[in-house]
Amino acid sequence: MTLALTSAGAPDISPNHFWKLTAAERSPIWAELRANHPVSLQPGPQESLIPSRPFWAVTRHADVQHVSRNADVFCSGQGVGIADIPVEFLELTSSFLVMDAPRHTKMRRIVSGAFTPRRVAALDEAITAEAHRNVDRFVEAGGGDVVEGLSKHLPLWAISTMMGVPESMRAEMYEAAEGLITIQDSEFVSNPEEALTLGMQCSEEIHRIAAELVVMKSADPTDDVLSVLVNAEVDGDKLTEQELGAIFMLFAVAGNDTTRNSTSHG
């Protein structure tokens, strides 16, 4: 297929139809960018419900490494996506994804420290057992919609188990996490204002749940990731309620959406 050209003459990789191409179909376009337009200013997708900004497409390996390793020039603290989203919303939802060193380094060290080999092994065993039960339930029900009946359950169950969310709070967490996924879908929201309003409401709901859990874990820590984070310190300081809420949000939404989609496609 033929793509429009950017103002610099590079192929325009912003439109949705480019990303619907197969990897083999996209390959010669990437080759063209690497060979003749290794850094190009792209207009950003125009079909998105949430308005997007122009973005730089960096396509050579050495250049990508340079960008990744020079946070003082190429910062993450003002956002890591191309959607034009308020910084306040980013801080609520993205945690250390929208931080730069040295704060990012410290935060990542704390979160990584919560995943000890013993805890990962226990999670692996629990998730494997639940995956078997999940498939058995789907088969016993006679099959059905794969996303609703099979893919949707396990990621949210795993995140809830990992973060120590009691059964009584899981339904409201699931609903808020679902809401944050739907704000990018025109089937559920009709305009950018509605999307951002729903996004803020769902974000605040997840932060409210996280705040309740933080109080619980502070008083009675259990063997889960959130309990470890509640009692962890960065240079002698504990994580704030907002920092803990943002980490909780990141797990609840990012882990849910990605794993559900990869399971469904598989």
Side-chain angles (χ1 to χ4, degrees):
M1 68 179 294
T2 303
L3 293 175
L5 297 180
T6 66
S7 58
D12 181 2
I13 61 172
S14 300
N16 286 344
H17 63 75
F18 170 76
W19 298 100
K20 290 178 180 178
L21 297 174
T22 66
E25 289 170 329
R26 290 197 301 265
S27 183
I29 299 167
W30 292 125
E32 160 71 10
L33 285 168
R34 283 194 298 273
N36 300 310
H37 308 277
V39 178
S40 61
L41 182 60
Q42 299 284 335
Q46 304 306 307
E47 309 99 324
S48 301
L49 187 64
I50 299 175
S52 63
R53 298 171 290 188
F55 66 93
W56 291 99
V58 181
T59 54
R60 285 181 180 168
H61 180 264
D63 294 334
V64 172
Q65 281 192 322
H66 177 73
V67 170
S68 301
R69 294 172 179 176
N70 287 274
D72 54 334
V73 178
F74 305 99
C75 75
S76 298
Q78 295 179 36
V80 293
I82 58 178
D84 193 10
I85 297 174
V87 173
E88 300 79 22
F89 185 71
L90 292 174
E91 290 177 352
L92 277 176
T93 59
S94 301
S95 184
F96 49 85
L97 294 187
V98 290
M99 291 180 189
D100 298 304
R103 188 176 172 219
H104 172 273
T105 308
K106 294 172 184 174
M107 189 75 74
R108 196 171 100 174
R109 190 166 61 240
I110 285 180
V111 175
S112 298
F115 290 91
T116 62
R118 181 185 62 80
R119 186 169 288 109
V120 170
L123 283 169
D124 181 49
E125 184 177 339
I127 291 170
T128 299
E130 182 62 21
H132 282 287
R133 289 191 291 269
N134 193 33
V135 172
D136 289 343
R137 284 192 296 267
F138 188 67
V139 172
E140 288 164 9
D145 184 299
V146 171
V147 178
E148 286 294 322
L150 189 66
S151 309
K152 182 177 176 179
H153 170 77
L154 189 61
L156 287 167
W157 180 91
I159 291 161
S160 298
T161 302
M162 190 185 306
M163 302 302 275
V165 182
E167 287 288 346
S168 60
M169 299 175 72
R170 292 188 179 190
E172 54 190 355
M173 187 198 93
Y174 291 1
E175 185 177 350
E178 286 287 288
L180 279 166
I181 293 171
T182 62
I183 64 172
Q184 300 179 60
D185 192 334
S186 57
E187 248 185 79
F188 297 92
V189 289
S190 57
N191 58 67
E193 292 74 23
E194 185 183 353
L196 286 174
T197 299
L198 178 61
M200 288 300 291
Q201 289 171 347
C202 293
S203 298
E204 289 166 359
E205 176 68 3
I206 291 181
H207 273 261
R208 181 192 64 76
I209 295 167
E212 289 185 26
L213 289 170
V214 166
V215 172
M216 292 167 51
K217 307 296 181 183
S218 298
D220 184 22
T222 51
D223 188 26
D224 58 74
V225 171
L226 188 57
S227 290
V228 173
L229 296 176
V230 165
N231 294 287
E233 294 185 351
V234 185
D235 293 341
D237 297 321
K238 287 185 176 295
L239 296 173
T240 66
E241 183 179 297
Q242 178 160 323
E243 288 170 334
L244 288 164
I247 292 171
F248 184 79
M249 168 88 71
L250 190 60
F251 277 82
V253 179
N256 169 23
D257 191 28
T258 52
T259 312
R260 178 194 309 189
N261 286 337
S262 59
T263 302
S264 300
H265 284 295

